[in-house]
């Protein structure tokens, strides 16, 4: 696989990819049988990564981590100024294009996530849009404890279906922690974490108008729709992230000054 340019910023390793590049990566890996974990970074994931080493381990494992959030794009642009809004890509942006190509290529897609019935509705919606595509679905409401009967059953379900692409949509950080803990046992070529994408396809949640993404305002739409559930994520976490980054920068500057003084 050809090397992909990376951007290192705020402790993150990012691979700025556009929708066609993401789809190309997934399909090529699926056809060649070369495993890949596709992750995404937004401000929420950065907040979680700063506080949980297991989340950091998940991102260390991922072969590709795309930019899913305007604040992360702005950080990356300070390191690489030719990045554009096309490099801010959520799972709902690339999934439709992937399904179209996957249908043509005969790839098998597994959906894991959502409340009971949601993944099945997402599957039905996909099959209606792409006649002939092979899709399997399982809800995300199971005991994710490593050795639980539920977890073993889900791993067996994946093993029996042997998907080319596994879409894990159990919300952040549950999906990242589950993938990190079970990745070596996942019988899938490409594994992608897709957050609430299955809820949107299955009709459990409304998708923010796509034009809001151009202005970095999708968060405001989601907050207005679910203020109690998302107020901490969108109102409290960003200042905490900023404080952590400032503290890290000041500590690094102080260490650099001390090192210089000791020379």
């Amino acid at each position: 696989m050809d090397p992909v340019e990376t951007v290192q910023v705020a402790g993150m390793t990012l691979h700025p990819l556009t929708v066609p590049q993401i789809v190309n990566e997934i399909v090529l890996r699926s056809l060649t049988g070369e495993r890949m974990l596709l992750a995404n970074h937004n401000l929420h994931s950065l907040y979680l990564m700063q506080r949980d080493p297991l989340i950091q381990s998940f991102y260390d494992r991922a072969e590709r981590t795309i930019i899913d959030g305007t604040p992360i794009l702005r950080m990356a642009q300070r390191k690489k100024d030719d990045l554009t809004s096309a490099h801010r890509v959520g799972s709902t942006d690339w999934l439709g294009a992937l399904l179209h190509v996957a249908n043509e290529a005969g790839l098998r897609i597994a959906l894991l996530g959502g409340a009971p019935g949601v993944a099945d509705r997402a599957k039905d919606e996909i099959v209606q849009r792409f006649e002939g595509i092979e899709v399997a679905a399982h809800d995300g409401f199971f005991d994710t404890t490593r050795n639980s009967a539920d977890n073993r059953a889900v791993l067996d379900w994946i093993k029996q279906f042997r998907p080319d692409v596994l879409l894990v949509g159990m919300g952040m950080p549950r999906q990242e922690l589950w993938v990190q803990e079970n990745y070596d046992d996942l019988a899938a070529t490409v594994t992608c974490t897709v957050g609430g994408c299955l809820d949107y396809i299955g009709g459990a949640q409304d998708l923010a108008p796509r034009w809001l993404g151009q202005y970095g305002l999708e968060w405001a739409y989601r907050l207005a729709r679910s203020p109690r559930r998302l107020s901490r994520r969108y109102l409290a976490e960003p200042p905490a992230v900023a404080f952590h980054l400032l503290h890290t920068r000041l500590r690094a500057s102080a260490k650099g000054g001390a090192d210089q003084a000791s020379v």
Side-chain angles (χ1 to χ4, degrees):
M1 194 66 60
D2 293 335
V4 172
E5 187 170 8
T6 63
V7 176
Q8 303 280 348
V9 60
M12 300 176 288
T13 299
L14 303 171
H15 304 93
L17 299 172
T18 62
V19 168
Q21 290 171 327
I22 293 167
V23 173
N24 186 59
E25 283 267 329
I26 294 173
V27 172
L28 282 178
R29 299 267 189 163
S30 298
L31 294 175
T32 60
E34 184 179 354
R35 293 194 79 193
M36 179 177 76
L37 172 57
L38 177 71
N40 62 286
H41 253 312
N42 53 38
L43 210 57
H44 183 47
S45 64
L46 178 55
Y47 173 85
L48 295 169
M49 192 180 75
Q50 290 172 347
R51 284 155 178 78
D52 190 339
L54 291 177
I55 298 296
Q56 177 70 69
S57 297
F58 166 81
Y59 284 103
D60 290 343
R61 183 193 288 270
E63 283 81 12
R64 299 288 183 266
T65 300
I66 58 178
I67 298 172
D68 176 20
T70 300
I72 305 302
L73 176 63
R74 296 288 181 260
M75 292 181 193
Q77 285 173 328
R78 296 192 187 103
K79 298 281 187 174
K80 192 172 187 299
D81 59 12
D82 62 342
L83 298 181
T84 70
S85 59
H87 293 97
R88 189 210 67 82
V89 185
S91 54
T92 52
D93 296 313
W94 56 259
L95 183 54
L98 171 66
L99 292 172
H100 178 78
V101 178
N103 191 33
E104 296 293 324
L107 301 183
R108 297 155 65 88
I109 310 293
L111 314 177
L112 176 62
V118 172
D120 286 326
R121 292 198 298 273
K123 171 187 171 180
D124 293 342
E125 177 67 22
I126 290 170
V127 170
Q128 287 178 12
R129 290 175 56 193
F130 303 95
E131 186 177 352
I133 194 169
E134 193 167 359
V135 184
H138 192 293
D139 69 75
F141 277 52
F142 63 94
D143 181 358
T144 58
T145 305
R146 180 77 176 101
N147 294 315
S148 70
D150 274 5
N151 200 62
R152 291 195 300 271
V154 169
L155 293 175
D156 287 343
W157 167 75
I158 296 169
K159 185 176 181 179
Q160 290 172 14
F161 185 65
R162 299 200 69 82
D164 298 295
V165 182
L166 171 65
L167 304 176
V168 184
M170 299 195 296
M172 188 179 285
R174 189 168 180 260
Q175 60 193 10
E176 286 78 15
L177 294 173
W178 183 82
V179 170
Q180 170 63 12
E181 191 167 44
N182 294 278
Y183 189 69
D184 291 338
D185 296 319
L186 293 180
T189 306
V190 178
T191 300
C192 311
T193 52
V194 296
C197 190
L198 304 184
D199 287 338
Y200 298 132
I201 299 174
Q205 293 187 38
D206 293 330
L207 184 64
R210 304 317 296 149
W211 63 268
L212 285 175
Q214 301 174 20
Y215 303 99
L217 292 174
E218 287 177 313
W219 67 270
Y221 180 89
R222 297 191 189 108
L223 179 60
R225 301 285 293 182
S226 304
R228 180 173 298 180
R229 182 172 66 89
L230 296 176
S231 59
R232 175 179 175 82
R233 173 172 175 173
Y234 290 127
L235 299 180
E237 290 183 8
V241 169
F243 177 81
H244 180 91
L245 294 177
L246 178 60
H247 179 69
T248 301
R249 185 177 302 175
L250 292 174
R251 191 168 54 184
S253 297
K255 183 179 184 300
D259 292 342
Q260 186 69 25
S262 66
V263 174

